[in-house]
Amino acid sequence: MGGDRQSLAAPQTSPGALQLEFVSRNYMVGKNLVKALQPTNLVIEQGDFVAIMGHSGSGKTTLLNILGLLDVQSDGTYSVHGTDTAQLSQVERARLRRDTFGFVFQNFNLLERYTVLQNIELALMYQKVSAKAARQLAYDLLRQLGLSGKAEARPHQLSGGQAQRIAIARALINNPPIVLADEPTGNLDIEAANEVIGLFKALHAKGTTIVMVTHSSEVARSASRIVHMQSGRVISNEAVS
Ligand code: ADP
Ligand code: MG
């Protein structure tokens, strides 16, 4: 079963914020079954800062996408704050995703035809927030990130580090309790990576739960727990000392 240890800190009575029980994901590629994620048990506690490491193809993105409700497991049970996600309708699932997770990707995924400010505001499109309030929230976040001067810029005018900070602002505008980041520093130089990691640390200090895929053991040391994956399995899950 992946050989992972569930968090010992978890009180018996309270389920973790995110809980995988024997969750697996298979893909059919032509006639071949690819076992991207082997049956996995994993608990992410509220307030955790977990780094997921492993070689390319080891199942990190597959795991993160299931955690973020962007993908559905082939088998097993995935619960978010104690709710078995298999019980949810499509609408409930989308709502839970929107209210629970902020996403950060390696390639920033900013939309080039919009300004920086609009990119952040767009994240509120499906919320009951007025256009004026959305603009104010977006400006506030930009100011906090020291990027108010970039409000009217287009994404291509930003450095990688600035683009990723904007993408993080977009992920945070909903005030999500959990941020999922897939190799967020993968395209950044050391200086920009440090800035982004600094942001994650500050977020974590304020109580946000963070799950971050990374190739860098240096980046992973910022986390409080490191999960190692290999061939679709969690092979270790240990606190950072
Ligand atoms: P990582 O993020 O660790 O590089 P992934 O989770 O992306 O790994 O992929 C794990 C395995 O699943 C790989 O063998 C990959 O080729 C396969 N895989 C991932 N997504 C798909 C897909 N949509 N269709 C088929 N195979 C996939
Ligand atoms: Mg990946």
Side-chain angles (χ1 to χ4, degrees), residues 68-230:
L69 300 172
L70 296 172
D71 189 19
V72 186
Q73 69 271 28
S74 305
D75 207 349
T77 306
Y78 175 40
S79 308
V80 175
H81 295 130
T83 299
D84 177 356
T85 56
Q87 310 299 326
L88 302 174
S89 69
Q90 287 284 59
V91 171
E92 289 168 335
R93 191 179 157 83
R95 193 176 297 143
L96 183 65
R97 182 194 305 127
R98 182 196 72 189
D99 294 342
T100 309
F101 301 107
F103 296 95
V104 179
F105 304 94
Q106 181 172 4
N107 295 321
F108 324 129
N109 288 9
L110 297 172
L111 300 172
E112 194 52 55
R113 63 182 180 282
Y114 296 109
T115 66
V116 159
L117 195 67
Q118 288 166 335
N119 265 280
I120 301 174
E121 287 172 345
L122 276 172
L124 287 171
M125 200 156 71
Y126 301 105
Q127 304 281 36
K128 290 188 181 112
V129 176
S130 73
K132 197 174 159 206
R135 176 135 301 193
Q136 190 60 51
L137 276 169
Y139 261 126
D140 288 349
L141 272 169
L142 275 180
R143 197 165 332 109
Q144 284 169 37
L145 294 171
L147 290 169
S148 14
K150 298 292 177 189
E152 299 306 322
R154 300 276 163 173
H156 76 269
Q157 296 170 305
L158 304 172
S159 70
Q162 288 168 342
Q164 194 59 298
R165 275 146 71 203
I166 299 300
I168 292 171
R170 180 186 55 186
L172 296 180
I173 198 158
N174 268 344
N175 213 6
I178 302 172
V179 169
L180 303 177
D182 198 348
E183 304 200 35
T185 62
N187 284 349
L188 303 180
D189 60 34
I190 290 175
E191 211 169 305
N194 284 338
E195 270 182 14
V196 163
I197 291 307
L199 266 178
F200 281 131
K201 280 185 183 171
L203 265 179
H204 177 237
K206 284 198 272 177
T208 303
T209 305
I210 298 172
V211 184
M212 172 183 68
V213 171
T214 181
H215 272 296
S216 154
S217 39
E218 197 175 323
V219 165
R221 272 196 290 277
S222 302
S224 31
R225 213 144 59 82
I226 302 182
V227 167
H228 279 277
M229 296 192 69
Q230 192 183 306

Side-chain angles (χ1 to χ4, degrees), residues 27-29 34 36 55-63:
Y27 291 107
M28 283 307 296
V29 179
V34 177
H55 292 300
S56 186
S58 59
K60 304 180 299 295
T61 295
T62 301
L63 172 62

